[in-house]
Amino acid sequence: LCRRAAQLSFIPQGHKSRCLVDSLIGSGRRAAQLSFIPQGHKFHLCRRAAQLSFIILLALTLTCQANQSGAQANSTEPWVLEADQITYHNDPQQITAAGDVVLRNSEEESTEPLEIRADTLTYLTTTSELDARGNVFLKEASGTVSASSILLNLQDQTGKLTSTTISLADHEIKFSGKRVEKIAKDRYVFFGGRATSCQTEGNKSPAWSINWRKADITVDGMAYLKHATFKVKRMPLLYIPYLALPAKTTRQTGFLFPEISHSSRDGVGFITPLFINLSPSSDLTLFPGYYEKRGTFAGLEFRYMTSYNSRATLAGNYQHDRTKDLGPAGSADDYRQDGYLRTRHDRYWIRAKADHYFSQNSVLRLDADTVSDQDFLHEYRDGLTGFAQSNRNFLNDFNRGLQEASLNFRESILQFSSRSQLGSGGLEIRHVDDTLTELTGVEPTQTLPRVLYSRRQPLKNLPLSFGWESEYVYYRPEEGIGYQRLDLLPRLILPMPLGPMLEGTIAGGFRETVYRVETIGTPASGWNSANAQNRNTFDFTTNIAALLARAFPITAERRLTHTFRPNLRYNYRTSGDQSTLPDLDGFDRLADDNSLTLELNNYFRSGKAGPQILPTRQLGYLKLKQSYSLEEARRDLTVPGDKRRPFSDLALDLEISPLADLFLRYQTALDVYGQGVSRYNLQSRYHNNRQDKLTIDYDYVKGGASNLNISSQLQLTGKLSARYNTTRSLQDNHTTAESLGLLYNSQCWGVELTGSRDSEDRRLMLTFSLTGIGKALELRKSEV
């Protein structure tokens, strides 16, 4: 039939051709143009441009009489065959197709779509056997199979293949072999072959491969290889009698690649991660391990995700350490020689982060961090469960990392915040874990809890708004002491429309702060629990700001927009005598204020030229800020040589982004009475499309810390790059940590050589990685 509109349905179960025509007419199909085809003849369907489908209804038991009597026919899913030429043979009953052959099941009716492409195809209708030859390509949801020929039973999905390559969906590794048996729908047995993630041309050997004598591969499962050999090009490097590789297209429970390490403090270490797939939105990874000199080690990481923004990660490490610091303090046996000895054997580190959005305006956040001793995070900075890797994971998943490992205290914070159009509120619980409490006897202050609420309500028929700010906090500075503070600040706010370019506000209120100190048992020294105390202050603020903008032509197509926003603010506050009040944070000692503050804010953006200026990118800003104290300017001079200093430090905040890849920020405070710079901070970031990176952070506080942090990566060639990282204390003139590494990344493998040093350790690490497998070999050498 070479007709454009013809469509033929065929039931290959050995029935007469007359029955076929009757079935077509009875089912309402377009059969008016079909002629009777005598028994034993054959016919050709010539189609490609007409897009004629040849639908094969596979049925185990289907009779012509059942069709004619109107009974329901038991059949499996339909198949669609397309080719340049299709021939039906009645004796033996088979179908042959040639030229760009495509056989597929109906995607609308099949839950597991399958497509087979080949140069030629023969299908035996009585046995459901299919013989495809020449550039055979089998496509399923789990992956693809290419072969020179396939002999396949369509019912049980078993058969034989030659010159076969299996490519799994979302998996880099490909499995190939010359002789393959398909023993189940998703299971193959290879008699000789190799696995690699490298692309090859012609008969060239891949950069690396794993060859085997026999392999049992289950798609979306595991590949078990017998007598496997790891090769680089054609050179065998490692023989493994039995090897298991992942062949998974979905998340599955199984072992991950282990971590092997060596150091003078730990000896040989071995950690074998076990990944457990709990559900599509949650998983658990266990890290059982052992260190030769330290003992057993255990770790876990639990993750879940309920929506795009709501997720959580809980991780923990535990070690039963056979060693401890013997002392004396400050000796070579005192780790880091900080004067504090570690004497406990049970060591742990627990950390967690969580974000849960109840709605777009209500969110709960958790940051948990507690550690057993002051040395744990220093000793275990690297590795699968180390501080560096955990910090990177939290930054990637939650956009916030961990506190620096050098800090002896770890903070855990639970926060809930909610906002509406007129107000906002929040709850915070903060717990501080000081690792030196057992050694010093000094307990940290705990916040259990802090509650804040603010609101601004316009008053009807009046140009005023009523504002409300409140805070309640409960502190526990030590065992047996409870410290409560309630602060209330109601105020009236009057907007001042001053013209098209000026705006202003006036706000005044009366602040009431109530204190109560409670003791359990014997009152601690310095605390008076007999009386509740309070503080009254008056707050007044007025503010005037302007907004000026102008566009300057850069080229014929672009403009520079400069926005200038000066702001003048007056603050007045009376605080009274606060010497008898508790003093646990900066809010307990409010200074009297009678000052003017001037801010000069400049913003720069680039935009396209046109009727309207459309900013496309922020180029940076420049902010200047200084205050003038009227109280200090009128202060009586009672001491000889005393001088009034009403002007505050001049604060400057400059940010420049001349290129999309470059970011610079400089913050400083200059004393205007000749004392120089009191502090400054420099931040710089550079990252281009070549993956060149440079980060420089410099912090300086007069009389305090002075630190320089540099992190860089330079792409030397397309495959070779170098990394350098250093943290240096300029105040003490010593390097806290420094590392230099070379990385070579090919299309399917990589190698990294890294040398690092700090005040306690010298380490050299060589790491090989294979695409699709992970770290293949990691060698470490450590010297103290």
Side-chain angles (χ1 to χ4, degrees), residues 131 149 184 212 214 307 492 577 668 679 781:
D131 187 358
S149 66
W212 61 76
K214 185 178 180 180
S307 67
L492 293 175
D577 183 15
T668 188
R679 59 178 176 84
K781 183 179 180 181

Side-chain angles (χ1 to χ4, degrees), residues 18-30:
R18 184 66 195 178
C19 174
L20 166 66
V21 176
D22 294 341
S23 298
L24 288 170
I25 297 174
S27 61
R29 296 184 182 272
R30 297 186 55 182

Side-chain angles (χ1 to χ4, degrees), residues 266-338:
D266 300 340
V268 177
F270 190 83
I271 297 178
T272 306
L274 172 62
F275 176 82
I276 302 174
N277 182 33
L278 301 176
S279 71
S281 59
S282 63
D283 57 57
L284 175 67
T285 306
L286 304 178
F287 299 89
Y290 182 81
Y291 289 100
E292 178 187 10
K293 296 183 180 180
R294 314 302 286 272
T296 57
F297 178 90
L300 64 84
E301 182 184 63
F302 170 74
R303 304 184 304 170
Y304 81 84
M305 187 174 184
T306 57
S307 67
Y308 181 78
N309 292 320
S310 298
R311 62 183 70 194
T313 298
L314 169 65
N317 297 356
Y318 171 79
Q319 181 185 47
H320 183 72
D321 200 334
R322 293 198 296 257
T323 68
K324 64 179 181 179
D325 294 344
L326 299 177
S331 66
D333 190 62
D334 176 10
Y335 182 69
R336 295 192 296 134
Q337 299 182 9
D338 56 2

Side-chain angles (χ1 to χ4, degrees), residues 134-284:
N135 300 313
V136 182
F137 183 81
L138 187 150
K139 181 180 179 181
E140 297 179 289
S142 58
T144 60
V145 177
S146 60
S148 59
S149 66
I150 294 181
L151 182 62
L152 183 67
N153 187 300
L154 287 181
Q155 290 186 359
D156 57 17
Q157 296 285 300
T158 60
K160 297 181 179 180
L161 303 87
T162 59
S163 300
T164 306
T165 298
I166 298 179
S167 302
L168 305 180
D170 300 324
H171 202 292
E172 297 89 346
I173 296 183
K174 297 181 179 180
F175 303 89
S176 59
K178 290 190 176 297
R179 188 165 69 93
V180 180
E181 291 186 3
K182 195 173 188 293
I183 61 176
K185 179 180 180 300
D186 292 320
R187 189 176 175 186
Y188 300 82
V189 176
F190 283 69
F191 298 92
R194 74 182 184 192
T196 183
S197 59
C198 303
Q199 297 179 359
T200 58
E201 297 180 0
N203 295 324
K204 292 184 178 180
S205 299
W208 69 267
S209 64
I210 299 176
N211 296 55
W212 61 76
R213 294 184 188 176
K214 185 178 180 180
D216 190 337
I217 301 173
T218 301
V219 177
D220 203 17
M222 297 296 294
Y224 299 100
L225 317 180
K226 294 182 179 180
H227 302 290
T229 304
F230 177 74
K231 291 185 177 182
V232 174
K233 290 294 186 179
R234 297 182 183 273
M235 181 182 298
L237 294 183
L238 182 64
Y239 168 76
I240 307 174
Y242 184 82
L243 178 65
L245 291 178
K248 304 179 184 300
T249 59
T250 58
R251 295 173 2 131
Q252 297 286 338
T253 297
F255 285 97
L256 305 178
F257 203 87
E259 176 187 85
I260 304 172
S261 62
H262 178 271
S263 73
S264 58
R265 289 183 60 85
D266 300 340
V268 177
F270 190 83
I271 297 178
T272 306
L274 172 62
F275 176 82
I276 302 174
N277 182 33
L278 301 176
S279 71
S281 59
S282 63
D283 57 57
L284 175 67

